[in-house]
């Protein structure tokens, strides 16, 4: 009533004073470290809009700390590569600032003039304080689905450009959401703390990268841009194919890294190839029958064979170090982790093997058997190892989760209609492939089947997963790529429901059964029944070494 009795000039004066109190520019008023921390929770779509709000908002959102936080809340980066960049004082790419336009990303100088600011308006936060703030947020994976929201392919086509190279069909997957379920299991209470603690292992590097000041000077906008281009390539099928014949007979197993590619074959040999030139470095001969499985790290290569033996090799020289005997039939799977000598951890390394003799065995590197895990009623076709957990899958249609140190059975997963041929485990989900032609995704924490991926028309023999993709290969001569975030989103809406729309099918290069595959951030490498090694590379037009 008081305001209505005032003259217009007085009301205008009151309104102007109220507006300054009600419409406060919190980004400009907050300490710079807090502003960067807030904006780092935004996805790139929202950040592009923030760039256009005002000169001040543009300046803050251009800060590398914003892009570092946003990137690591969605994806992972390779800490070893970042460490080398810091140690060598290397400049990452160009000094690129991201701007919005209909033609896509435009590189502009990331100096004061790029945002229209005078030199005295340059935004320079304290990197130490910013690192402290970023490290306080807890688990990288604890943010909401809105925070992790991923651009759809239409958006990327608009702002990153498109390619005419299309392979198979695609879909537009929604963002990830952390799965929650009310399912209770008899062993859940006893094992929940043990299982939950293991899920935090994969967050260590991301938290360190977020919090450590030494990474602050890296051009995170540039790295973010490379990651978006790589994502676009996977979803729209921008991919090249290379292949070579690696063996005289079928190639059963494959693993690769930046330096080398290793294959095992029915011809009883293991071949080590140069990862870039694909030239043969050397051949390992020691098994007397088919090499069915292998794994290597920086020091060792360990292989298993249908001759029922396990061999430990020196990966650098190819020297045979030890032959382990103990299984009664074919060794179908092998996983290991070695001692961390640099950390003073000695004697803790373990080798886990599985066999057609229905057992899983745990060994020390000196060849001494630690224990035998029994419980499967048919051949144990594959095994996975992460932290203190062993996951085994069998022709008896079950998956068993074991405690590595005690040998206790933690949980038994039942759901496949026929025998299970392959399994993957990353500390959060278990993914299995079966002769029922289906791929199933399981929650590690609850044991619930949260998704069934359909589309293969024959046995699913090969699987590999990372934080972005689930890739499967089968006897139908096809490789299917599933968007992990989309799978998790749909599973939250319809737990255990079938999902048939993979984003990509790699079928043009395969002419025989796919026996094994491995993926990296930018590649899918397969080995097949016709002894060929196929390398699908999605790294076109981007720098992939960061991922």
């Amino acid at each position: 009533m008081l305001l209505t009795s005032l003259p217009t000039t007085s009301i205008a004066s009151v309104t102007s004073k109220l507006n300054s109190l009600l419409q406060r520019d919190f980004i400009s008023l907050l300490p710079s470290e807090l502003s960067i921390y807030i904006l780092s929770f935004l996805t790139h779509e929202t950040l592009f809009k923030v760039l256009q709000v005002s000169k001040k908002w543009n300046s803050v959102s251009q800060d590398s700390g914003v892009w570092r936080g946003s990137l690591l809340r969605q994806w992972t980066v390779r800490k070893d590569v970042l460490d080398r960049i810091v140690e060598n004082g290397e400049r990452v790419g160009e000094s690129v600032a991201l701007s919005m336009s209909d033609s896509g990303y435009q590189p502009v100088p990331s100096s004061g003039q790029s945002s229209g600011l005078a030199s005295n308006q340059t935004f320079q936060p304290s990197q130490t304080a910013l690192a402290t703030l970023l490290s306080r947020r807890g688990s990288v994976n604890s943010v909401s689905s809105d925070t992790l929201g991923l651009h759809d392919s239409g958006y990327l086509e608009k702002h990153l450009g498109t390619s005419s190279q299309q392979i198979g069909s695609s879909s537009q997957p929604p963002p990830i959401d952390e799965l929650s379920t009310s399912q209770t299991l008899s062993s859940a209470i006893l094992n929940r703390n043990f299982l939950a603690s293991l899920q935090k292992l994969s967050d260590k590097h991301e938290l360190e990268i977020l919090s450590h000041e030494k990474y602050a000077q890296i051009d995170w906008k540039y790295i973010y841009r490379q990651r978006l281009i790589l994502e676009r390539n996977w979803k729209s099928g921008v991919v090249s194919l290379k292949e070579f014949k690696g063996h005289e007979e079928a190639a059963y197993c494959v693993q690769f890294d930046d330096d080398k590619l290793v294959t095992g074959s029915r011809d009883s040999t293991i071949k080590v190839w140069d990862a870039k030139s694909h030239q043969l470095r050397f051949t390992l001969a020691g098994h007397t029958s088919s090499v069915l499985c292998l794994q290597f790290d920086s020091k060792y290569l360990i292989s298993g064979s249908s001759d029922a033996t396990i061999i430990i090799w020196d990966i650098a020289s190819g020297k045979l170090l030890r032959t382990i005997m103990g299984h009664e039939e074919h060794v179908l799977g092998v996983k290991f982790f070695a001692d961390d000598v640099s950390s003073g951890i000695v004697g803790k390394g373990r080798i886990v093997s599985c066999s057609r003799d229905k057992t899983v065995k745990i060994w020390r590197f000196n060849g001494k058997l630690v224990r035998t895990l029994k419980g499967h009623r048919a051949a144990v076709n594959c095994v996975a190892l992460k932290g203190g957990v062993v996951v085994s899958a069998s022709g008896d249609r079950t998956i068993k989760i074991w405690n590595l140190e005690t040998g206790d059975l933690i949980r038994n997963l039942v759901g496949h209609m026929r025998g299970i041929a392959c399994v993957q485990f990353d500390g959060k989900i278990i993914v299995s492939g079966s002769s029922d032609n289906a791929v199933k995704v399981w929650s590690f924490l609850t044991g619930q089947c949260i998704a069934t991926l359909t589309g293969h028309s024959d046995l699913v023999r090969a699987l590999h997963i990372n934080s972005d993709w689930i890739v499967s290969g089968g006897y139908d001569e096809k490789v299917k790529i599933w968007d992990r975030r989309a799978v998790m989103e749909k599973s939250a809406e319809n737990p255990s429901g079938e999902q048939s729309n993979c984003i990509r099918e790699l079928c043009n290069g395969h002419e025989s059964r796919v026996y094994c595959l491995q993926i990296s951030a930018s590649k899918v490498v397969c080995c097949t029944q016709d002894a060929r090694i196929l390398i699908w590379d999605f790294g076109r037009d981007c720098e992939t070494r960061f991922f």
Side-chain angles (χ1 to χ4, degrees), residues 329-365:
E329 295 193 53
H330 299 17
V331 178
L332 303 177
V334 64
K335 297 293 179 183
F336 75 92
F337 62 88
D339 291 335
D340 187 355
V341 179
S342 61
S343 301
I345 301 175
V346 180
K348 297 294 185 180
R350 294 290 184 269
I351 301 167
V352 180
S353 60
C354 63
S355 169
R356 202 163 72 173
D357 64 14
K358 308 178 187 178
T359 68
V360 175
K361 292 183 181 291
I362 301 172
W363 314 83
R364 290 192 173 90
F365 269 72

Side-chain angles (χ1 to χ4, degrees), residues 433-450:
S434 166
S435 56
D436 62 12
N437 307 344
V439 175
K440 287 186 179 290
V441 183
W442 312 77
S443 167
F444 170 57
L445 193 59
T446 68
Q448 179 185 12
C449 177
I450 56 179

Side-chain angles (χ1 to χ4, degrees), residues 1-207:
M1 293 298 293
L2 178 61
L3 287 175
T4 58
S5 65
L6 294 176
T8 302
T9 54
S10 297
I11 293 175
S13 177
V14 171
T15 301
S16 64
K17 291 181 179 180
L18 288 174
N19 282 339
S20 65
L21 296 174
L22 297 175
Q23 300 178 3
R24 299 178 69 82
D25 184 350
F26 66 94
I27 291 296
S28 298
L29 295 173
L30 285 173
S32 58
E33 294 83 8
L34 280 174
S35 298
I36 292 175
Y37 178 66
I38 291 169
L39 293 181
S40 72
F41 280 90
L42 303 180
T43 60
H44 68 278
E45 299 98 328
T46 308
L47 284 171
F48 282 134
K49 297 175 183 178
V50 169
L51 286 167
Q52 302 173 85
V53 172
S54 68
K55 291 181 179 180
K56 180 64 175 180
W57 283 46
N58 183 290
S59 176
V60 179
S61 59
Q62 294 278 12
D63 188 89
S64 189
V66 172
W67 298 94
R68 173 167 59 158
S70 181
L71 173 69
L72 294 176
R73 284 181 171 87
Q74 299 176 80
W75 300 297
T76 58
V77 295
R78 289 182 54 178
K79 183 176 176 294
D80 60 325
V81 173
L82 297 182
D83 287 338
R84 286 197 296 271
I85 290 171
V86 171
E87 290 169 5
N88 298 333
E90 179 184 345
R91 290 188 63 186
V92 175
E94 304 171 40
S95 183
V96 175
L98 300 178
S99 64
M100 279 279 285
S101 76
D102 290 339
S103 61
Y105 290 102
Q106 301 297 323
V108 295
S110 58
S111 60
Q113 64 181 19
S114 68
S115 58
L117 294 175
S119 59
N120 62 353
Q121 293 176 292
T122 303
F123 192 77
Q124 295 180 334
S126 163
Q127 294 295 346
T128 302
L130 172 60
T132 302
L133 274 172
L134 289 173
S135 67
R136 287 176 180 169
R137 66 180 178 83
S139 170
V140 170
N141 297 293
S142 65
V143 292
S144 68
S145 59
D146 290 336
T147 304
L148 284 171
L150 197 60
H151 42 272
D152 59 46
S153 58
Y155 185 92
L156 281 178
E157 288 171 4
K158 180 179 179 182
H159 295 291
L160 283 176
T162 59
S163 170
S164 59
Q165 294 184 349
Q166 303 290 325
I167 298 179
S169 60
S170 67
S171 60
Q172 295 184 356
I176 192 173
D177 192 2
E178 288 298 315
L179 179 70
S180 61
T181 178
S182 60
Q183 181 184 16
T184 58
L185 298 171
S186 59
S187 59
I189 296 176
L190 292 174
N191 295 300
R192 182 169 295 273
N193 290 338
F194 171 68
L195 301 181
S197 66
L198 291 169
Q199 289 187 302
K200 299 177 182 178
L201 293 175
S202 61
D203 299 337
K204 281 185 176 181
H205 285 176
E206 284 69 34
L207 287 172

Side-chain angles (χ1 to χ4, degrees), residues 287-308:
H287 288 293
T288 59
S289 191
S290 301
V291 179
L292 303 178
C293 52
L294 60 82
Q295 182 191 345
F296 69 79
D297 65 4
S298 60
K299 186 175 182 180
Y300 300 108
L301 187 155
I302 299 182
S303 57
S305 168
S306 56
D307 64 12

